[in-house]
């Protein structure tokens, strides 16, 4: 007689991940401004658990180049579909949003646009330029795809002189094929390394890892060391949360104490700034590290 093992129960969400929804008017004001300017945010598209808090503080991470991604990563809630054409006035709309919100630090990200020859790099450049015109003195952080490691695309983004160049490693080497779509572990390290080779200490590089996908502690430490070998300056560590039942399941909920220990380990090996905690995301409290010049 054949017996079938019952499915493993899904781990229960611990208390430290249960959110209290804010009631400030700023949340509604931010939502209305984004709707008025027809802007996408990674906060909504990726179902970020922190968007209530961030919007209530009047901050948001702008997602340019549409809300349809050409990749299908197992952790990400952004829609995978054939993208629409780029909107020529989007850079100006993002710039107007930063002006109205009086931002001192802006994070600009994008879906992966493998359908475009430059991966959307020129659209990044135009958006950064428009933001600087509308909001002089603002610190610009870009959270970019890998651009298939094309030097020309990386150079295009760098020509706009962002202060922080963020590209996420997302997970450890062993899990990368099952977690990320098309992206590879070594390619991401190459992108971060190239930025430092091209700009050195005139720019900060940043990357992030999700925990709870089944990685071991040693694999995490190796990933952190690999990022430092690529001269990555800033690290974020956060808990992976399953956005829908169609996405990868959570293997483990990592305790706040372990996050604190991992953050200390990262500082010990040389990261200039580390944000490590269950609710940390790439752009969460990004302005806590907001230099004007390295």
């Amino acid at each position: 007689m054949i017996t079938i093992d019952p499915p493993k129960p899904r781990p229960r969400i611990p208390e430290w991940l249960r959110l209290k929804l804010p009631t400030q008017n700023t949340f509604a004001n931010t939502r209305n401004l984004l709707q008025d300017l027809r802007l996408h945010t990674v906060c909504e598209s990726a179902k970020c658990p922190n968007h209530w808090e961030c919007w209530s503080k009047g901050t948001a991470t702008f997602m340019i180049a549409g809300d349809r991604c050409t990749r299908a990563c197992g952790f990400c809630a952004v829609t995978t579909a054939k993208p629409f054409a780029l909107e020529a006035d989007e850079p100006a709309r993002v710039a107007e949003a930063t002006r109205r919100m009086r931002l001192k630090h802006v994070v600009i990200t994008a879906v992966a646009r493998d359908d475009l020859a430059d991966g959307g790099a020129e659209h990044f450049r135009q958006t950064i330029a428009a933001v600087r015109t509308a909001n002089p003195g603002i610190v610009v952080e870009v959270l970019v795809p890998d651009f298939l490691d094309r030097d020309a695309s990386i150079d295009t983004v760098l020509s706009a002189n962002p202060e922080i160049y963020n590209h996420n490693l997302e997970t450890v080497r062993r899990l990368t094929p099952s977690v990320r779509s098309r992206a590879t572990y070594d390619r991401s390290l190459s992108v971060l390394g190239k930025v430092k080779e091209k700009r050195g200490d005139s720019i900060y590089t940043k990357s992030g890892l999700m925990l709870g996908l089944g990685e071991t502690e040693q694999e995490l430490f190796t990933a952190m060391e690999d990022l430092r070998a690529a001269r990555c300056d800033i690290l974020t560590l956060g808990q992976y949360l399953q956005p829908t039942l169609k996405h990868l399941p959570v293997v483990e909920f990592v305790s706040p104490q372990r996050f604190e220990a991992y953050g200390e380990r990262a500082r010990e090996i040389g990261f200039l700034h580390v944000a490590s905690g269950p609710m940390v995301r790439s752009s969460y409290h990004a302005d806590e590290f907001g230099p004007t010049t390295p």
Side-chain angles (χ1 to χ4, degrees), residues 3-294:
T3 59
I4 300 175
D5 294 332
K8 293 181 179 179
R10 297 173 64 197
R12 295 185 63 181
I13 296 177
E15 281 300 318
W16 64 76
L17 287 171
R18 299 184 187 278
L19 301 176
K20 294 181 180 179
L21 298 185
T23 58
Q24 296 96 322
N25 291 333
T26 312
F27 175 86
N29 294 339
T30 302
R31 180 187 58 196
N32 293 339
L33 181 149
L34 295 169
Q35 290 176 346
D36 180 45
L37 293 172
R38 296 178 291 111
L39 293 172
H40 300 295
T41 64
V42 74
C43 321
E44 286 186 297
S45 296
K47 301 184 186 300
C48 178
N50 297 319
H51 90 274
W52 296 93
E53 177 185 348
C54 295
W55 285 18
S56 294
K57 292 181 177 179
T59 64
T61 297
F62 299 103
M63 189 172 76
I64 61 175
D67 61 351
R68 293 180 165 198
C69 188
T70 54
R71 301 186 185 182
C73 296
F75 66 89
C76 184
V78 175
T79 300
T80 303
K82 182 178 179 181
F84 297 117
L86 296 176
E87 297 176 336
D89 66 338
E90 185 175 51
R93 287 186 276 122
V94 172
E96 175 62 12
T98 67
R99 187 191 68 80
R100 292 191 199 177
M101 296 170 75
R102 299 179 180 177
L103 297 184
K104 295 181 180 179
H105 186 124
V106 63
V107 181
I108 302 169
T109 190
V111 291
R113 292 295 302 260
D114 295 323
D115 59 311
L116 301 174
D118 69 348
E122 173 61 18
H123 202 61
F124 265 105
R125 188 199 66 77
Q126 292 178 11
T127 303
I128 297 169
V131 166
R132 290 210 190 282
T133 299
N135 202 340
I138 192 171
V139 172
V140 177
E141 175 177 332
V142 291
L143 172 55
V144 296
D146 61 22
F147 296 126
L148 299 177
D149 202 17
R150 296 190 185 102
D151 282 77
S153 295
I154 296 170
D155 289 339
T156 295
V157 176
L158 290 178
S159 70
N161 297 313
E163 280 78 16
I164 301 172
Y165 193 106
N166 185 355
H167 173 65
N168 284 333
L169 192 60
E170 305 293 9
T171 190
V172 300
R173 182 185 292 277
R174 175 177 58 87
L175 296 178
T176 294
S178 60
V179 171
R180 305 175 74 190
S181 170
R182 297 195 69 184
T184 70
Y185 186 89
D186 289 315
R187 184 191 294 158
S188 290
L189 291 173
S190 175
V191 168
L192 291 164
K194 282 181 178 179
V195 172
K196 275 299 187 180
E197 289 171 7
K198 294 171 184 291
R199 291 299 179 92
D201 292 336
S202 69
I203 193 169
Y204 290 99
T205 50
K206 178 178 178 180
S207 194
L209 291 156
M210 300 173 291
L211 307 189
L213 283 161
E215 71 287 336
T216 67
E217 192 169 83
Q218 186 53 56
E219 286 175 323
L220 171 61
F221 293 161
T222 297
M224 292 194 296
E225 290 162 3
D226 288 343
L227 285 169
R228 283 300 299 135
R231 298 173 62 192
C232 183
D233 299 304
I234 306 169
L235 178 68
T236 59
L237 300 173
Q239 171 70 52
Y240 167 67
L241 295 176
Q242 186 180 24
T244 75
L245 292 176
K246 296 179 180 179
H247 291 83
L248 292 170
V250 175
V251 175
E252 176 188 15
F253 288 112
V254 179
S255 71
Q257 293 75 21
R258 282 172 60 195
F259 270 108
E260 185 175 344
Y262 295 154
E264 187 57 35
R265 172 74 173 246
R267 295 180 190 95
E268 289 173 355
I269 65 173
F271 285 99
L272 297 179
H273 180 75
V274 179
S276 181
M279 298 306 294
V280 168
R281 297 296 181 267
S282 267
S283 306
Y284 185 55
H285 291 189
D287 57 350
E288 289 182 359
F289 184 84
T292 53
T293 55

